[in-house]
């Protein structure tokens, strides 16, 4: 059931094209939106990728004007990665297009089914937030935990 739900969501979201970026590049844009000014290694860790692959991915995002690389205030050897204004505008537009596509489908559902969908999505969001909090806690290590 989880696979079918994931595939359905991918199909629905895919109705709003992510061109000119790939799925991996889109994930990078979302991470940069959440963590403005992170370095390449942190972005690579967030993507589960290597710094060299992430650097090439950022090259492509820079080429379309979605990412800016700025000198780090912490280290002369490091760069900060930020979404450009164009990158932010792209995400705003993508979300609006996805929302319109979802609204068309949801409008075709019976009212009681919409209510059940909302309840299920709220539960999914809560479970996801719980997992994210656990992952953040684990990343801080045992010294950050209290008894």
């Amino acid at each position: 059931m989880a696979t079918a739900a994931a595939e359905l969501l991918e199909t629905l979201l895919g109705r709003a094209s992510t061109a000119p970026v790939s799925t991996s590049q889109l994930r990078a844009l979302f991470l940069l939106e959440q963590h403005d000014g992170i370095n390449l290694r942190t972005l690579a860790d967030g993507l589960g990728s290597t710094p060299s692959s992430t650097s090439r991915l950022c090259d492509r995002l820079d080429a379309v004007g979605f990412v800016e690389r700025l000198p780090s205030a912490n280290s002369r050897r490091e760069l900060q990665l930020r979404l450009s204004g164009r990158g932010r505008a792209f995400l705003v537009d993508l979300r609006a297009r996805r929302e319109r596509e979802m609204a068309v489908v949801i409008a075709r559902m019976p009212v009681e089914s919409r209510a059940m969908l909302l309840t299920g999505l709220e539960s999914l969001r809560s479970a996801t937030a719980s997992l994210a909090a656990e992952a953040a806690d684990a990343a801080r290590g045992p010294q950050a935990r209290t008894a």
Side-chain angles (χ1 to χ4, degrees):
M1 181 164 147
T3 300
E7 289 172 356
L8 175 61
L9 282 173
E10 286 176 7
T11 300
L12 289 174
L13 294 176
R15 291 172 55 139
S17 170
T18 63
V21 299
S22 68
T23 303
S24 297
Q25 292 168 335
L26 185 60
R27 286 182 50 226
L29 292 176
F30 288 146
L31 281 170
L32 290 173
E33 181 182 46
Q34 294 170 358
H35 306 285
D36 191 47
I38 61 175
N39 64 25
L40 186 67
R41 181 166 298 282
T42 304
L43 179 60
D45 289 346
L47 294 172
S49 186
T50 63
S52 60
S53 293
T54 304
S55 180
R56 288 189 301 275
L57 181 143
C58 287
D59 289 342
R60 291 186 293 277
L61 290 172
D62 190 11
V64 292
F66 287 176
V67 170
E68 299 172 342
R69 296 175 183 185
L70 305 168
S72 171
N74 301 328
S75 168
R76 292 187 315 208
R77 293 176 36 198
E78 239 176 49
L79 292 175
Q80 291 181 334
L81 300 169
R82 297 186 181 281
L83 278 182
S84 67
R86 185 173 178 190
R88 289 187 192 287
F90 171 77
L91 291 180
V92 167
D93 178 65
L94 176 64
R95 286 186 176 112
R97 288 183 289 121
R98 284 179 164 182
E99 188 174 324
R100 284 191 301 272
E101 292 292 338
M102 290 295 290
V104 168
V105 173
I106 291 171
R108 293 175 176 240
M109 295 172 61
V111 173
E112 60 277 359
S113 294
R114 288 185 224 162
M116 288 188 298
L117 176 63
L118 179 60
T119 299
L121 290 174
E122 287 171 347
S123 181
L124 181 64
R125 180 177 47 196
S126 176
T128 301
S130 175
L131 281 175
E134 289 173 15
D137 189 38
R140 284 191 292 272
Q143 66 277 8
R145 295 187 190 109
T146 58

